[in-house]
Amino acid sequence: MEVPLKPLGKEDTRKLELALIFGTLMRQDVLEKIRNAEDKITWLDSLIIASGALARERAGMPVTKIAEELGRTEATIRNHLTGKTEAGKIVKETYELLVKNGGKLEFLIPGGEEIEKLRRENEELKKKIENVKQALQSLLSTL
């Protein structure tokens, strides 16, 4: 999925926001932090708010408007955007990964390389099975 890194409208902003949320939550280090967090709901909320704030900032929205839309104080939004909060830092890292990968979200899915390796192995096994079937059919037809 291609993600707009500099959103030009509400739809693009929403796409970036969702990519930041999804991409951040699927990171192995973040999953561990969530597992170990005492207050998981608050932590998840912070990640979601930080994602929304960053997406809106990239769309050129002022902090006052972001705070209003997300129902948080301007100070909270600024803290997320400047990376003063852990959630803000993590979401910025996810954004940087998106930028580095040209706006492609696929690289953030855990096990992506492993899934691709298994897919290739599966295809190889299918070919081998097909070859065995053909050899058996050939053998049976000569009997």
Side-chain angles (χ1 to χ4, degrees):
M1 176 179 143
E2 191 84 20
V3 178
L5 299 173
K6 183 77 173 148
L8 296 176
K10 282 191 179 269
E11 186 176 329
D12 280 355
T13 302
R14 188 75 180 143
K15 284 179 185 177
L16 177 57
E17 179 180 15
L18 291 173
L20 288 170
I21 291 168
F22 179 74
T24 300
L25 292 176
M26 291 297 103
R27 288 175 39 188
Q28 198 60 44
D29 61 324
V30 175
L31 289 172
E32 276 302 311
K33 287 179 184 185
I34 291 169
R35 252 185 238 119
N36 297 329
E38 280 185 38
D39 190 355
K40 291 170 181 28
I41 301 298
T42 300
W43 217 82
L44 288 170
D45 181 69
S46 291
L47 289 172
I48 291 168
I49 294 300
S51 296
L54 184 59
R56 285 164 177 78
E57 180 196 48
R58 296 295 182 233
M61 191 179 286
V63 171
T64 53
K65 180 85 169 138
I66 296 170
E68 183 182 311
E69 275 196 19
L70 298 178
R72 297 298 189 278
T73 65
E74 289 180 37
T76 297
I77 299 302
R78 276 192 200 90
N79 286 338
H80 283 315
L81 293 175
T82 58
K84 289 182 181 175
T85 65
E86 189 171 4
K89 286 178 198 167
I90 291 170
V91 169
K92 272 188 159 191
E93 289 170 5
T94 301
Y95 180 79
E96 289 165 8
L97 288 171
L98 279 169
V99 169
K100 184 179 173 184
N101 208 49
K104 291 194 172 107
L105 184 61
E106 291 85 17
F107 75 99
L108 293 172
I109 298 171
E113 294 169 4
E114 184 66 23
I115 291 169
E116 188 54 39
K117 179 183 170 192
L118 290 171
R119 188 174 290 130
R120 283 192 303 270
E121 288 175 6
N122 187 38
E123 288 303 315
E124 287 175 26
L125 288 171
K126 283 181 182 179
K127 287 177 186 176
K128 287 179 182 179
I129 289 170
E130 192 57 40
N131 289 340
V132 169
K133 277 184 183 178
Q134 289 174 0
L136 279 172
Q137 286 174 346
S138 179
L139 180 64
L140 288 174
S141 66
T142 60
L143 294 178

